[in-house]
Amino acid sequence: FMTLEEEVDEERKPYESDRLWLIRRTFLRKYWTEMPRDQLLCMSQLFINVNMMGCTYSDAVMEKVRRLGAGVMETANSLTLERKPTALPSKRTPATRDPVQPTTTAGPPKAPPPQQRNTVRLNSEDSYTEEKMKQIRLFLLQADYRASAMEMLNHATGRARSPWTQNTSDGVMRISIANVLVLEQKFTQPGVNSIEGAVNAIVETFLHGGDVSIKSRKLHFNGSGPQDLYCNFLKRCLKKAEKLASGAKTFKALLMALEKVNLDLSQHSTHLQGWSQKVDIRIGDLLASSRVLSKGECVRAKLDKAVDEMCARISDTIATGTVNIVRTDRGLELR
């Protein structure tokens, strides 16, 4: 079994300097047996953020940090990190050398072992950035619930000093935070506000997407990478909408139901040869239903009826929990 001191030392992060670790260790040591572990680790990081990085939080959080942190800095200033001397490799004396065995055949020389890449620095950078992403999640949780997703993301990344950037090439949108790729998605539906949809997906995923990790400068939530973020966002939101969508048999009713789970419902018409037209119902950038209407169905009353019928089928699919989102050449489709 590890001693208490060894348990505390296990919590040191690879990128923490001696000074930062001394302060955080003092905080951890003070409350190690008095607080739940997850809560203690969170509060110790908040203490560092406030006192060493100048971060600010809500009044309630700042008061708790102030109360729990009383005396920690003074104690840390009076301590010094204990360093164990590094043991030098022992030298073999002539008396312990293995005797040389005579041989008449010389075997082929052994190839030197391949050099392995030193990944300590890379791992430290990833760990540091992961902590930044966790800070962003915390700041999003503290954001004003009336703010838009764009305002929330700007607020959270600004406080974490981790700006986000967006670029589109070859029709694929990529959004990064602190030079880590977060979302990679090809938006295919015409007229859809892709940047708004992407930011909505990112904010929702930070809040509900699960554990955060970084692999090859790409952000993963519960093991899923940037290319799956938008699709997983849709699946979670549609799952939340199961009860809300039940009975939503018109476009207006389904629109109101999906708005409650932060999804946009829209329709798009494309004129075909002659007087016929194709009507698409979209949920965000997801093609939920498509139907070709004949000339006689394109009058307003019949068009509205056809749209309501399409929405009724979509509603039934969502309400029964049988949502299946597939990737096709035309983008994401609901099956």
Side-chain angles (χ1 to χ4, degrees), residues 14 114-126:
Q115 292 185 349
Q116 296 183 350
R117 181 184 175 189
N118 188 346
T119 60
V120 173
R121 181 176 180 180
L122 179 60
N123 291 338
S124 297
E125 290 176 355
D126 286 349

Side-chain angles (χ1 to χ4, degrees), residues 195-214:
I195 184 63
E196 181 179 299
V199 171
N200 280 340
I202 289 172
V203 170
E204 192 277 342
T205 301
F206 263 102
L207 296 176
H208 305 290
D211 294 335
V212 173
S213 61
I214 295 176

Side-chain angles (χ1 to χ4, degrees), residues 240-288:
K240 297 174 188 175
E242 285 182 6
K243 292 183 179 179
L244 297 170
S246 179
K249 302 300 183 181
T250 65
F251 179 85
K252 183 178 180 180
L254 186 58
L255 173 68
M256 295 175 64
L258 293 179
E259 281 181 345
K260 294 179 181 178
V261 293
N262 203 29
L263 289 177
D264 294 324
L265 183 71
S266 62
Q267 66 181 76
H268 182 265
S269 298
T270 305
H271 290 282
L272 304 177
Q273 190 173 9
W275 290 95
S276 63
Q277 60 179 300
K278 182 169 72 74
V279 177
D280 295 332
I281 305 296
R282 296 93 54 86
I283 301 174
D285 195 59
L286 171 69
L287 180 60

Side-chain angles (χ1 to χ4, degrees), residues 73-334:
M73 294 298 292
E74 291 78 1
T75 302
N77 289 335
S78 66
L79 298 175
T80 56
L81 276 178
E82 295 182 3
R83 295 179 178 272
K84 294 183 179 181
T86 303
L88 296 175
S90 60
K91 297 182 179 180
R92 300 179 68 184
T93 62
T96 61
R97 289 178 182 171
D98 296 330
V100 178
Q101 299 294 333
T103 179
T104 56
T105 59
K110 294 183 178 180
Q115 292 185 349
Q116 296 183 350
R117 181 184 175 189
N118 188 346
T119 60
V120 173
R121 181 176 180 180
L122 179 60
N123 291 338
S124 297
E125 290 176 355
D126 286 349
S127 297
Y128 176 78
T129 309
E130 283 180 12
E131 291 302 316
K132 281 289 186 181
M133 298 303 171
K134 293 175 183 178
Q135 282 186 12
I136 290 172
R137 172 179 286 172
L138 181 62
F139 293 143
L140 287 172
L141 287 169
Q142 298 172 351
D144 189 337
Y145 71 94
R146 295 165 296 185
S148 67
M150 186 73 71
E151 291 170 334
M152 292 174 68
L153 186 62
N154 287 337
H155 168 79
T157 55
R159 290 186 64 181
R161 296 180 176 87
S162 302
W164 67 277
T165 58
Q166 177 264 326
N167 69 80
T168 302
S169 60
D170 300 325
V172 179
M173 178 184 291
R174 296 176 178 86
I175 293 181
S176 300
I177 298 176
N179 296 320
V180 173
L181 185 62
V182 177
L183 175 140
E184 186 175 41
Q185 179 68 28
K186 185 173 185 178
F187 290 88
T188 59
Q189 296 300 317
V192 169
N193 189 332
S194 56
I195 184 63
E196 181 179 299
V199 171
N200 280 340
I202 289 172
V203 170
E204 192 277 342
T205 301
F206 263 102
L207 296 176
H208 305 290
D211 294 335
V212 173
S213 61
I214 295 176
K215 303 173 185 176
S216 303
R217 305 305 292 170
K218 294 181 179 180
L219 190 61
H220 290 68
F221 293 90
N222 275 357
S224 296
Q227 70 280 1
D228 297 320
L229 185 144
Y230 188 76
C231 183
N232 290 339
F233 153 74
L234 290 172
K235 290 177 180 178
R236 283 192 302 273
C237 291
L238 291 175
K239 182 67 176 177
K240 297 174 188 175
E242 285 182 6
K243 292 183 179 179
L244 297 170
S246 179
K249 302 300 183 181
T250 65
F251 179 85
K252 183 178 180 180
L254 186 58
L255 173 68
M256 295 175 64
L258 293 179
E259 281 181 345
K260 294 179 181 178
V261 293
N262 203 29
L263 289 177
D264 294 324
L265 183 71
S266 62
Q267 66 181 76
H268 182 265
S269 298
T270 305
H271 290 282
L272 304 177
Q273 190 173 9
W275 290 95
S276 63
Q277 60 179 300
K278 182 169 72 74
V279 177
D280 295 332
I281 305 296
R282 296 93 54 86
I283 301 174
D285 195 59
L286 171 69
L287 180 60
S289 181
S290 184
R291 177 174 169 180
V292 176
L293 303 180
S294 64
K295 175 182 177 181
E297 293 177 301
C298 292
V299 295
R300 173 52 58 186
K302 292 185 177 181
L303 176 60
D304 290 344
K305 181 181 179 182
V307 168
D308 286 343
E309 290 174 351
M310 295 166 69
C311 288
R313 288 194 293 271
I314 296 171
S315 172
D316 290 340
T317 300
I318 297 173
T320 55
T322 57
V323 169
N324 182 28
I325 299 177
V326 298
R327 295 182 184 273
T328 70
D329 294 338
R330 296 184 297 175
L332 298 175
E333 295 187 14
L334 180 65

